[in-house]
Amino acid sequence: MESHVPAFADADDIAMVERLIAAHGGRGALLPVLHAVQDAFGYIDEAVIPLIASGLNLTRAEVHGVVSFYHDFRSAPAGRHVVKLCRAESCQARGAAALEVAAVERLGVKMGSTRADGQVTLEPVYCLGLCATGPNALVDGAPVARLDAAGLDAIAARVAA
Ligand code: FES
């Protein structure tokens, strides 16, 4: 095996990444490839970056830069539940900042990370297109509008289950 083979991946994983790269074409396909890899694996493992760079004729730094720039990409597996809080302007005007402080405390996890027990990941999101009903969140992919303390309690109960 060559040294660039990712430690996390078996031969099937590597083959899947290579298929995803091939399916999305050449140099301009970085974002679609990254989305496809994250859809397939749940995150972009550091060890996959050299494969993508090589497959798309990019540098590792270019790939890494895009992964770290976009909030949508994860560099580690998510928790069992994923809670995304909207940080964009309309939700901020409706109290999202204070809600975020409360969510961090209530869920026991820092923003942008996964709790040590793996039960929940808390992430920012920048506008869900539901601005009139903010502050908004996405909980395991489902929108939650007008989030308040009671809503946080409900999310905490769901995460504990
Ligand atoms: S600003 Fe939060 S949904 Fe648009």
Side-chain angles (χ1 to χ4, degrees), residues 53-134:
S54 170
L56 297 181
N57 198 24
L58 298 166
T59 67
R60 294 178 187 196
E62 285 173 313
V63 178
H64 194 273
V66 170
V67 170
S68 50
F69 179 79
Y70 288 99
H71 297 283
D72 280 349
F73 297 126
R74 286 194 191 95
S75 56
R80 199 159 158 246
H81 300 277
V82 176
V83 177
K84 298 183 180 214
L85 296 181
C86 181
R87 274 184 171 174
E89 193 173 344
S90 292
C91 286
Q92 287 293 317
R94 292 168 180 263
L99 199 64
E100 182 176 319
V101 171
V104 166
E105 186 174 323
R106 190 72 183 79
L107 299 176
V109 60
K110 288 182 186 171
M111 178 55 85
S113 64
T114 298
R115 204 165 73 190
D117 65 1
Q119 277 294 100
V120 60
T121 297
L122 184 62
E123 296 178 334
V125 65
Y126 294 88
C127 196
L128 299 167
L130 306 166
C131 310
T133 60

